[in-house]
C-alpha cells in the first residue's frame, strides 16, 4: 500500500491499526470538528457483532408464521453513546457477493457475523457509526420469499429501519427466541448500495419511513418495468430468473411467489399491475431523505433512464440531492474514483447522520466525468437547465441517408427489420446506406453542444406486417477518447496494488485491489438509446394488433444522458427495427416505412437550440475508421 496516498485522502486522519488514536475513555463520543472537519476514528475496540431477526409483518412463504429477516450488525463497543446506522439491504450476500471482489458475508461457528462485504464497517465503525447488512426476505438467512422489487423486498428493509426506531419487533433467533431492542442507536439511518441494493434504498425512501435520513443509490433502479421492458418491448429476461438466482436455486415454499412473477410479467412487454407496484417514481413525493445518486452513463445493465426519471421526480418534490455521473458502466464509485468517493461519502454521512456542520450540502450538486478521470463540477445539474429542442429528419441525396436539422422535412424513408443486426452494425458505416436502418445526420456542429436529460423520439411509422418493434439511437460522430465501458471491466481494470480503508479485523479485511481507468479511442459514441413496440402506440398497458399498410404515430423515450458533442462533430439519429443487442424481435418482422414529416427527435439541450444546433450544411457524411469504432458490448446483463 503506497503510504503517500493517505494524506490526500484523509486530510491527516490516521487509518492503519498501528496509527489509530488510542481510546481516550471508556465511553468515547464521536467528536465534532470545526466546520469542514470530519468525524475521527476514536472507537478502536473490537466491534460488537450480532444478528437480529426482525419481523416484517408478511408471510411470503405461506407457512402461517410472520417472516423474519436477518439483520447482521457491527457497532462500536465499550461505549454508551448512541450511534447512527449505515445500512445496506441486499439479496446478494450469499449467492453473488458485493463489490469488485464479490465479497460475501461470513460467520463463526456460533453463527455470529464476522466478514462484512465492502469497506463500510471497517471505515465507519471507528468513527461512531453502526453498520447493518440486511438479507432481503427469501435470501441467505432470512425467511420469506423474494419478489424482485415488490412489497416483500421493500418491507424487508423498511422493517429494520422501523426496528431501529422502536416500531418493529426483533428477536435473537430466526424462530422463537428472546425479544431484542436497539437502545444503542439514535435511529438515524443512511441506506447505501449498488444495483439491487440501491434500488431497495429508493423503494424504502419512497415509503416515507421515519428515521431514514439519507440514501446513496448507486446504479439503482427506480422502475423495475424499465429494467426488464421498454415502451412495450422485452429485453429478453424476466424477474423470476433473478428470484431463483438470489434464492440460490429457488426455495420450494416460494413457488407461488415465483408464479406471481411469471403471471404478472407478460413477455409481450405490456405494463401490468406487477410493474406498477414496482415503480417508485410516482411515490418520490414521499421521500424525506436526502439523496446522493451515482450512475454510469455507460451502464447498459441498469440504464440511465432509471436515474433520469428518479432525479426529475425528486426535483419536483424539492428533495436535497446530489449526483455523480461517470463514464463507466455498472461500476461502484469506490472502483472508479476511490479517494474522492470515500472522502465525500464520509462527509455526507457526517452531515446527514451525525449532524456535523461540514458544508457538504453546499458543495457542487453534480459532478460529471467528461473524459477518463476528468470531472466537471457544477452547482446545479445541467439537466435541470436544459430546454427541449426538436430536430427533424429530411431526405438526403442517397436513399437511407438523410439530414437532421431544426426545420421539418417532407418525404419518406424505409427499412427492413433484420433481427440479426444491432445498433453497432447500424452506426459503424454512417456513409453507407443500409436496408436495415434509416440514418439522419446534422452537419458539423458550429459549437460545443451539451445534451443533458431525457429525450424522446416520435415516429410516423407504417408496418409491413402485423408486428413491429422499433429502435432509436442518438450518435455523436467524431473522434474521442472515452472509458472503455463496453469492455470486460466496464471502464476499469484491476492493478497489482491494493489500498486499505479503515481497520482490518480477523476475518474482515479492509484492503481492496486498486483499479484504473481503461480507455478507448473511438470515432463515434452512442449517447442515448430507446426501444418500443409499435403495437403499444396507444397504451403501454395493452398492445393492439397492427394493420399492415396503416400508419401509426408513437412517441417513446431515449435514455437519459449528459454528453457534450464537440464543435465539428456531427449528431445523428438512427431508427431501425430489432436491436439484437437488447430487445426481442417481433413474431413477424418486416419492412417499416417512415413519414418524415411526422418523425422527429426532442432533445434536452442546455442553453436551447439556437445557435447550438443549426441546419445541416452540405458536406461529406462522417466516415468511421474500422480500428476506431466501438466494439460491441462485452457486458453481462441481469447481474448484481
Amino acid at each position: 500500500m503506497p503510504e503517500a496516498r493517505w494524506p490526500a485522502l484523509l486530510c491527516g486522519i490516521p487509518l492503519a491499526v498501528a496509527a489509530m488514536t488510542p481510546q481516550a475513555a471508556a465511553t468515547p463520543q464521536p467528536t465534532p470538528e470545526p466546520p469542514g472537519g470530519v468525524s475521527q476514528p476514536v472507537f478502536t475496540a473490537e466491534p460488537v457483532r450480532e444478528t437480529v431477526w426482525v419481523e416484517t409483518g408478511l408471510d411470503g412463504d405461506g407457512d402461517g408464521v410472520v417472516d423474519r429477516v436477518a439483520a447482521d450488525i457491527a457497532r462500536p463497543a465499550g461505549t454508551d453513546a448512541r450511534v447512527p446506522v449505515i445500512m445496506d439491504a441486499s439479496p446478494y450476500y450469499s449467492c453473488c457477493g458485493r463489490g469488485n471482489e464479490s465479497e460475501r458475508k461470513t460467520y463463526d461457528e456460533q453463527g455470529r457475523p464476522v466478514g462484512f462485504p465492502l469497506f463500510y464497517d471497517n471505515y465507519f465503525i471507528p468513527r461512531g457509526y453502526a453498520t447493518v447488512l440486511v438479507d432481503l426476505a427469501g435470501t441467505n438467512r432470512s425467511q420469506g420469499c423474494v419478489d424482485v422489487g415488490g412489497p416483500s423486498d421493500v418491507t424487508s428493509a423498511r422493517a429494520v429501519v422501523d426496528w431501529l426506531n422502536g416500531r418493529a419487533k426483533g428477536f435473537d433467533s430466526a424462530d422463537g427466541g428472546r425479544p431484542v431492542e436497539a437502545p444503542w442507536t439514535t435511529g438515524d439511518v443512511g441506506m447505501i448500495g449498488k444495483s439491487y441494493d440501491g434500488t431497495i434504498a429508493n423503494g424504502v425512501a419512497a415509503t416515507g419511513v421515519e428515521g431514514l435520513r439519507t440514501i446513496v443509490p448507486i446504479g439503482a433502479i427506480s422502475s423495475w418495468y424499465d429494467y426488464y421492458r421498454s415502451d412495450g418491448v422485452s429485453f429478453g429476461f424476466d424477474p423470476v430468473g433473478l428470484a431463483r438466482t438470489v434464492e440460490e436455486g429457488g426455495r420450494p415454499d416460494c413457488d407461488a411467489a415465483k408464479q406471481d412473477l411469471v403471471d404478472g410479467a407478460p413477455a409481450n412487454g405490456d405494463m401490468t399491475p406487477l410493474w406498477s407496484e414496482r415503480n417508485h417514481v410516482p411515490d418520490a413525493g414521499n421521500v424525506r431523505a436526502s439523496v446522493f445518486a451515482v450512475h454510469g452513463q455507460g451502464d447498459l445493465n441498469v440504464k440511465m433512464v432509471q436515474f433520469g426519471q428518479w432525479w426529475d421526480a425528486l426535483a419536483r418534490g424539492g428533495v436535497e440531492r446530489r449526483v455523480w455521473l461517470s463514464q463507466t458502466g455498472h461500476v461502484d464509485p469506490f472502483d472508479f474514483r476511490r479517494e474522492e468517493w470515500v472522502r465525500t461519502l464520509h462527509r455526507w454521512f457526517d452531515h446527514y447522520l451525525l449532524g456535523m456542520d461540514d458544508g457538504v450540502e453546499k458543495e457542487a450538486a453534480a459532478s460529471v466525468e467528461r473524459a477518463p478521470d476528468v470531472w466537471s463540477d457544477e452547482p446545479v445539474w445541467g439537466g435541470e437547465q436544459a430546454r427541449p429542442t426538436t430536430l427533424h429528419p429530411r431526405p438526403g441525396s442517397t436513399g437511407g441517408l438523410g439530414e437532421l436539422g431544426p426545420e421539418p422535412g417532407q418525404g419518406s424513408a424505409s427499412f427492413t427489420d433484420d433481427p440479426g443486426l444491432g445498433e453497432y452494425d447500424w452506426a459503424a458505416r454512417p456513409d453507407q446506406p443500409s436496408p436495415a436502418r434509416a440514418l439522419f445526420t446534422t452537419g458539423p456542429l458550429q459549437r460545443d453542444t451539451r445534451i443533458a436529460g431525457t429525450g424522446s423520439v416520435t415516429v410516423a411509422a407504417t408496418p409491413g406486417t402485423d408486428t413491429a418493434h422499433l429502435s432509436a439511437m442518438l450518435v455523436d460522430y467524431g473522434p474521442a477518447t472515452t472509458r472503455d465501458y463496453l469492455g470486460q471491466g466496464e471502464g476499469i481494470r484491476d492493478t497489482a496494488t491494493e489500498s486499505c480503508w479503515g481497520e482490518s479485523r480477523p476475518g474482515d479485511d479492509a484492503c481492496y485491489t486498486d483499479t484504473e481507468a481503461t480507455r478507448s479511442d473511438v470515432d463515434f459514441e452512442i449517447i442515448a438509446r430507446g426501444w418500443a413496440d409499435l403495437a403499444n402506440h396507444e397504451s403501454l398497458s395493452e398492445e393492439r394488433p397492427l394493420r399492415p399498410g396503416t400508419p401509426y404515430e408513437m412517441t417513446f423515450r431515449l435514455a437519459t444522458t449528459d454528453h457534450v458533442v464537440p464543435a465539428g462533430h456531427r449528431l445523428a439519429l438512427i431508427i431501425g427495427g430489432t436491436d439484437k443487442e437488447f430487445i426481442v424481435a417481433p413474431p413477424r418482422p418486416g419492412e417499416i416505412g417512415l413519414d418524415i414529416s411526422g418523425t422527429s427527435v426532442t432533445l434536452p439541450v442546455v442553453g436551447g437550440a439556437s445557435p447550438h444546433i443549426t441546419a445541416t450544411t452540405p458536406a461529406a457524411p462522417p466516415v468511421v475508421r474500422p480500428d476506431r469504432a466501438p466494439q460491441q458490448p462485452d457486458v453481462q446483463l441481469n447481474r448484481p
Side-chain angles (χ1 to χ4, degrees), residues 535-557:
N536 290 96
H537 63 280
E538 291 186 358
S539 169
L540 284 184
S541 300
E542 183 180 1
E543 65 177 16
R544 305 284 178 85
L546 301 175
R547 295 169 59 93
T550 301
Y552 299 92
E553 182 176 294
M554 184 175 187
T555 298
F556 57 98
R557 297 164 300 165

Side-chain angles (χ1 to χ4, degrees), residues 40-91:
Q40 302 296 302
V42 298
F43 296 94
T44 60
E46 175 67 26
V48 175
R49 297 181 185 270
E50 59 188 333
T51 302
V52 175
W53 278 266
V54 177
E55 286 191 348
T56 66
L58 304 176
D59 180 16
D61 50 17
D63 63 357
V65 179
V66 173
D67 299 328
R68 295 179 182 178
V69 294
D72 290 323
I73 301 165
R75 55 185 175 86
T79 177
D80 57 8
R82 296 195 302 157
V83 297
V85 170
I86 296 170
M87 187 167 98
D88 188 339
S90 176

Side-chain angles (χ1 to χ4, degrees), residues 98 110 119 127 172 218 232 249 255 261 272 293 448 536 540 545 607:
R98 307 310 299 129
Q110 288 74 42
F119 74 100
R127 289 166 169 76
D172 62 2
I218 301 165
D255 287 346
L261 293 175
T272 64
D448 292 354
N536 290 96
L540 284 184

